[in-house]
Amino acid sequence: MAQTLDGKSLATQIETSLRTEIADLTNAGKPPPSLAVIQVGDLYASKVYVRRKHQACQRVGINSQDICLPTTTSEQQLLAKISELNTDTSVDAILMQLPLPQHINTATVLGAIAMSKDVDGLSPQNQGLLLSGKQGSAKVLPYPSEALLKPKLLIPCTPLGIMQLLNHYRCRLRGKVAMVVGRSALVGLPISQLLLQADATLIHTHSHSVEPKLLAKTADVLVVAVGVPHLVRQDWLKPDAVVIDVGINRQQGKLVGDVHPDVAEVASYITPVPGGVGPMTIAALLQNTVLAAQARHRVG
Ligand code: NAP
């Protein structure tokens, strides 16, 4: 049976070290890091995620504020709120909870968040820096870079959390075939970049890809971020592959991933759902918030 890549446990360790970093900041007379989370509308899943983020902030000593706007909020009103937070010197980091209602252009809104406060790394500037490899994260090998444990840039939280998990369990990437299923700006595209920068050989598939199973059979590392319950079955897998299941799907009141549990019989390592990528995403959010605060105060 595959060994579990225990995101919950690693996230707890990361929280412990963040408490120390935050104490260093406040002992130096600086305010604790602060995060503003904006949610537009009242999607149940978003509310649950936002609540977990605030709880995690509380555990480590980050001041978080909850900005709940009604579904009827116009794009202009949302942009005005972001502009206000961009110039608010008491706010280090801004997180826009996705998805946004359909009448709001997500790219426009993400592009309006100040680069230095863009804690999910989704503004065009931060995406561009990631693409150009300017975060300087990937070249300490054979594992994902140690530098990723302390990135210099705001890297999208879920991919950052995944790389830290791979690093923690010493999963080799250099020269390995890594396949990413799904190409969202939130997960699929940035994780592909990070895997490439860690010298993996990349296969990237999406909803139009032909014979994904055949491609997956060649992959040493398989990252699945699709949103289709149990899309990936045992017969997709190369024996001993490392499997990262990003999917969070609700099925009959239960959370299930994009990967069927029987894959654990063939894989060497696998992330559980829940308890794998989810807690690492939140840990990465906390780290990025602290990083943004340290950058503002020029410490760390
Ligand atoms: P998304 O924006 O909806 O993107 C889904 C991607 O999957 C698209 O690129 C789509 O291809 C591709 N896809 C859809 N059906 C497919 C199929 N049958 N075969 C291959 N590719 C297919 O989703 P997302 O934001 O990346 O999220 C994906 C999943 O991860 C969701 O379950 C989400 O809840 C979860 N998630 C979890 C975390 C966490 O912290 N654990 C964080 C973020 C997201 P096209 O581009 O061709 O349409």
Side-chain angles (χ1 to χ4, degrees):
M1 283 296 275
Q3 189 180 334
T4 298
L5 294 168
D6 188 345
K8 201 170 168 201
S9 156
L10 179 56
T12 304
Q13 292 175 43
I14 291 171
E15 285 188 10
T16 302
S17 71
L18 285 176
R19 270 186 220 106
T20 309
E21 289 198 42
I22 292 169
D24 288 347
L25 203 59
T26 52
N27 289 340
K30 310 293 181 197
S34 85
L35 169 70
V37 183
I38 313 175
Q39 188 190 342
V40 184
D42 53 5
L43 267 185
Y44 173 75
S46 292
K47 278 186 164 175
V48 172
Y49 296 141
V50 168
R51 191 171 61 233
R52 288 201 189 127
K53 288 167 186 172
H54 288 303
Q55 286 167 342
C57 284
Q58 249 180 2
R59 285 196 298 272
V60 298
I62 291 173
N63 286 338
S64 64
Q65 57 167 305
D66 196 13
I67 300 168
C68 269
L69 302 174
T71 317
T72 50
T73 304
S74 69
E75 190 173 299
Q76 276 318 103
Q77 288 169 323
L78 181 55
L79 291 173
K81 186 72 204 172
I82 289 173
S83 166
E84 183 190 315
L85 293 167
N86 281 344
T87 53
D88 183 341
T89 52
S90 71
V91 172
D92 293 306
I94 303 170
L95 179 77
M96 187 69 245
Q97 184 66 36
L98 300 177
L100 288 168
Q102 289 214 326
H103 64 277
I104 296 177
N105 185 311
T106 303
T108 305
V109 168
L110 294 175
I113 298 174
M115 189 184 164
S116 59
K117 298 189 180 189
D118 169 30
V119 81
D120 213 0
L122 293 175
S123 67
Q125 298 94 327
N126 277 323
Q127 284 188 330
L129 285 170
L130 179 62
L131 260 183
S132 65
K134 286 284 190 292
Q135 79 282 10
S137 65
K139 294 298 170 192
V140 184
L141 293 165
Y143 309 110
S145 167
E146 291 294 340
L148 263 182
L149 301 175
K150 212 150 173 31
K152 294 292 177 216
L153 273 190
L154 297 171
I155 295 173
C157 298
T158 301
L160 175 58
I162 292 170
M163 293 302 276
Q164 292 182 331
L165 202 51
L166 290 168
N167 178 76
H168 182 75
Y169 284 90
R170 294 289 184 254
C171 297
R172 287 185 76 95
L173 292 176
R174 171 173 274 178
K176 298 289 179 185
V177 175
M179 175 160 147
V180 175
V181 190
R183 55 178 169 179
S184 67
L186 190 65
V187 188
L189 291 178
I191 190 64
S192 281
Q193 271 311 308
L194 292 170
L195 290 167
L196 265 181
Q197 289 172 25
D199 294 339
T201 301
L202 192 71
I203 301 172
H204 201 161
T205 65
H206 44 77
S207 67
H208 300 280
S209 300
V210 179
E211 302 279 17
K213 241 192 249 189
L214 276 184
L215 296 169
K217 279 267 181 210
T218 67
D220 303 297
V221 178
L222 184 61
V223 180
V224 191
V226 168
V228 176
H230 297 168
L231 173 75
V232 171
R233 311 288 300 221
Q234 211 180 77
D235 60 349
W236 283 53
L237 232 61
K238 178 176 176 179
D240 291 333
V242 174
V243 179
I244 305 289
D245 186 357
V246 182
I248 301 179
N249 311 287
R250 270 163 227 280
Q251 237 185 10
Q252 289 142 18
K254 247 185 90 183
L255 286 187
V256 300
D258 290 346
V259 176
H260 194 278
D262 71 8
V263 161
E265 290 164 22
V266 183
S268 58
Y269 289 94
I270 190 164
T271 53
V273 176
V277 175
M280 288 305 299
T281 297
I282 294 182
L285 170 66
L286 302 177
Q287 291 173 91
N288 276 350
T289 302
V290 172
L291 182 68
Q294 289 171 333
R296 184 156 76 88
H297 299 299
R298 296 183 191 285
V299 296

